[in-house]
Amino acid sequence: MELQLIQNKIFEIRGQRVMLDYNLAELYEVETRALKQAVKRNIKRFPPDFMFELTKSEWQELITICDNLPQNLKFSPALPFAFTEQGVAMLSSVLRSPQAIEVNISIMRAFVILRQYALGYAELNRKLEEFMIETNMQFSDIYQALTELASQKEQENKPRRRIGFTVKQEEE
């Protein structure tokens, strides 16, 4: 299973990376209805940090943001379930087909790669902030020095004696 395909189906909702039930059903090659039924039959395996149902406003926002949702899904009265990484792992115990196991392994790999990207991004962001602070301090020092030079120049607007060798011309 191509990891990029899975990564495109991972959304951030309520500050968590999640996959929606219809995407998982498509990957597992089962009907969304069957996936939801299996989850409802085993609801104790899915605490709120594993799976939650989207609110109407969250669903409307997701519909507006994502243009690659199927048309029939956009107008469905049922609100989708969102599964966190742990919830997706728990789905493998509910859906026991060989396809489900294979897909589940691919999904776990995709979540791991996204986590690595996030950690790399955080490290890069930290280094960028350090660089900005260092350069801002340097520019601040340069600006201060230039300001001091400009104020000294204003104070010294009196005529200055020329520097260098001068030859007195004899009067004729």
Side-chain angles (χ1 to χ4, degrees):
M1 173 125 323
E2 189 177 332
L3 292 179
Q4 185 65 40
L5 177 75
I6 295 171
Q7 286 175 341
N8 291 337
K9 296 177 187 227
I10 297 176
F11 301 98
E12 186 155 334
I13 302 173
R14 298 184 191 175
Q16 299 181 47
R17 286 196 174 93
V18 296
M19 290 187 75
L20 300 177
D21 56 8
Y22 65 89
N23 282 329
L24 289 165
E26 181 183 311
L27 292 171
Y28 290 133
E29 296 178 358
V30 298
E31 291 181 20
T32 305
R33 178 185 55 79
L35 186 137
K36 282 186 164 187
Q37 284 175 348
V39 169
K40 287 178 182 177
R41 276 195 305 267
N42 297 282
I43 198 67
K44 289 189 178 192
R45 294 179 184 235
F46 297 95
D49 58 326
F50 281 28
M51 187 260 324
F52 55 89
E53 188 173 21
L54 269 61
T55 64
K56 284 188 179 203
S57 61
E58 288 171 333
W59 181 229
Q60 286 302 318
E61 184 179 340
L62 192 63
I63 288 172
T64 1
I65 293 171
C66 297
D67 54 350
N68 60 349
L69 296 176
Q71 285 295 2
N72 63 340
L73 193 64
K74 290 182 181 182
F75 303 109
S76 170
L79 297 172
F81 289 161
F83 294 88
T84 63
E85 183 176 356
Q86 294 86 358
V88 172
M90 189 58 72
L91 267 177
S92 67
S93 67
V94 174
L95 305 171
R96 297 185 183 148
S97 70
Q99 174 71 12
I101 293 169
E102 182 183 320
V103 168
N104 208 40
I105 290 169
S106 298
I107 291 171
M108 292 299 108
R109 287 182 177 147
F111 272 106
V112 168
I113 288 172
L114 282 176
R115 193 176 311 113
Q116 289 171 343
Y117 284 145
L119 290 174
Y121 175 77
E123 177 67 18
L124 182 63
N125 197 24
R126 186 188 60 76
K127 287 182 180 181
L128 182 62
E129 283 184 27
E130 285 177 9
F131 175 74
M132 298 273 291
I133 289 169
E134 288 174 13
T135 54
N136 281 344
M137 289 173 56
Q138 290 172 353
F139 284 127
S140 176
D141 291 345
I142 292 170
Y143 179 75
Q144 186 178 2
L146 288 173
T147 305
E148 287 176 16
L149 283 173
S151 67
Q152 285 177 359
K153 186 159 184 134
E154 288 175 4
Q155 292 172 358
E156 297 176 358
N157 273 341
K158 57 185 178 184
R160 298 185 311 181
R161 194 178 70 124
R162 294 187 60 94
I163 298 175
F165 180 73
T166 57
V167 177
K168 289 187 179 181
Q169 292 184 348
E170 290 184 29
E171 293 180 28
E172 291 181 21

